[in-house]
Amino acid sequence: MEGTIRDPDTSSVVVGVDGSQSARDAVRWASAEAARRGRPLHLVHAADTDGRRFHLSAASVERVRRAGSELLEETAGAIATEHPDLHVTTEFSRRDPVTALHRAAGLHGTIVVGNRGLGGFNSLMLGSVGLKTAAGARTPLIVVRGVEDGTEAGVVLAAVRDELDLECTRYAAREAELRKASLRLLHVWNALQSVGNVVSMLDNIEEIADEYVERLKAITDEIRGEHPGLGVHADAEKSMSVAGVLVEASHHADLLVMGGRRSPGYIGPSLGHIAHSLVHHAHCPVLLFPRHGQDLRRKP
């Protein structure tokens, strides 16, 4: 890749830089996260000049390259002022942003993206780059939201659905410990959705509820055993809107961690509808953790 100052560490925090306010917020958040973890920060500016090579002159490509390199240098300088001990690498990529971010993260990196597009209607919601990056991510990805006032709740919130979320919950527990925060495990189940799957369940709602509570308890006990010094609280709620409950709970959290189950979609992978709602409406940053071995037929 052109203009790489230094190859990123395989477990770097990787963040996209495009000059927008959303990207600047993401860079500030990613810098603090990398410092908290003791990991390098890797800044990526993806110009997609390869994809536009038939439409750009050599002079235009050089102007794009120079502007991108200057933006990376300015951003790295600002980070050094705030986090002088943080190891920062930069990369100017000729690829499209989604490919560049996935490639930079490799197998072990964490991707951080802003929550808005560059302008127009896309500026009102998570941009297409963010959505595509989140949908195709095979490593943890964080959408930075709700950080404008800088207040901290001292809580990491983990959305728990079933036993496949154990690794995701462990990740959330480590994040809580790094922040010296407590961990809240929240399971939300939709009775109507469960009943719709099997008509005979109409007379067994309480049994279904007990089963969900037992699953949550098993994960909670596991986390408490592995992290005895961590404050862990577990709640199970019934609601017709799982996403609505999680969005409301995000008011009182510094980070919302959720297993990122995906749907194949018609033109490639896409986020499940709950994850999609959270990255657009949550009141705190949302970390999507890849659920390996997930059943794509089950859409959250």
Side-chain angles (χ1 to χ4, degrees):
M1 290 195 183
E2 179 181 315
T4 301
I5 292 179
R6 192 176 291 111
D7 290 336
D9 185 278
T10 56
S11 57
S12 294
V13 176
V14 177
V15 60
V17 178
D18 64 12
S20 67
Q21 182 59 51
S22 176
R24 287 193 287 271
D25 290 341
V27 167
R28 283 196 294 270
W29 194 92
S31 301
E33 181 71 5
R36 197 161 28 230
R37 296 183 183 188
R39 304 309 308 167
L41 178 70
H42 188 62
L43 308 178
V44 177
H45 178 75
D48 195 20
T49 51
D50 281 356
R52 297 181 293 163
R53 63 184 180 276
F54 297 117
H55 308 286
L56 295 176
S57 66
S60 295
V61 170
E62 176 56 25
R63 283 195 296 271
V64 169
R65 187 202 63 77
R66 188 181 306 115
S69 298
E70 289 174 357
L71 177 60
L72 286 167
E73 183 177 352
E74 291 171 4
T75 304
I79 294 169
T81 300
E82 191 166 354
H83 300 281
D85 296 327
L86 182 62
H87 180 57
V88 180
T89 57
T90 66
E91 175 181 338
F92 175 87
S93 174
R94 300 176 310 204
R95 298 173 180 268
D96 66 275
V98 176
T99 301
L101 289 170
H102 285 164
R103 182 172 179 133
L107 297 176
H108 304 289
T110 297
I111 301 173
V112 179
V113 297
N115 70 312
R116 294 177 185 265
L118 276 173
F121 178 75
N122 281 341
S123 69
L124 302 177
M125 57 199 307
L126 182 63
S128 59
V129 169
L131 279 176
K132 290 177 182 177
T133 306
R138 297 296 175 184
T139 61
L141 178 138
I142 301 163
V143 177
V144 176
R145 301 187 51 81
V147 296
E148 292 81 6
D149 60 7
T151 58
E152 295 184 355
V155 176
V156 170
L157 173 66
V160 180
R161 285 169 289 195
D162 53 40
E163 59 279 358
L164 289 179
D165 279 322
L166 178 57
E167 286 304 313
C168 171
T169 308
R170 284 174 170 149
Y171 197 95
R174 291 192 291 271
E175 287 287 336
E177 287 184 329
L178 286 172
R179 288 170 167 75
K180 296 179 172 54
S182 61
L183 175 65
R184 182 189 181 194
L185 309 182
L186 179 58
H187 174 83
V188 187
W189 66 286
N190 187 330
L192 294 180
Q193 183 180 32
S194 298
V195 169
N197 290 336
V198 182
V199 175
S200 62
M201 288 183 178
L202 280 168
D203 297 326
N204 300 308
I205 295 298
E206 293 304 321
E207 293 181 13
I208 297 171
D210 289 343
E211 180 181 345
Y212 287 133
V213 169
E214 285 301 313
R215 291 179 182 176
L216 177 60
K217 182 179 184 303
I219 290 179
T220 303
D221 290 345
E222 188 83 18
I223 296 301
R224 284 175 174 161
E226 295 174 0
H227 301 269
L230 178 65
V232 181
H233 312 281
D235 299 295
E237 297 188 20
K238 178 175 67 175
S239 174
M240 293 179 64
S241 173
V242 176
V245 172
L246 292 172
V247 167
E248 179 61 28
S250 72
H251 269 293
H252 313 289
D254 300 319
L255 180 68
L256 193 166
V257 183
M258 178 182 183
R261 182 182 285 142
R262 302 178 189 85
S263 169
Y266 294 105
I267 55 174
S270 60
L271 294 176
H273 76 267
I274 293 177
H276 191 277
S277 295
L278 292 178
V279 299
H280 282 98
H281 302 296
H283 300 281
C284 69
V286 178
L287 189 156
L288 299 177
F289 187 85
R291 282 167 57 106
H292 300 293
Q294 62 195 352
D295 183 356
L296 294 175
R297 295 170 298 177
R298 300 169 60 191
K299 300 178 184 178

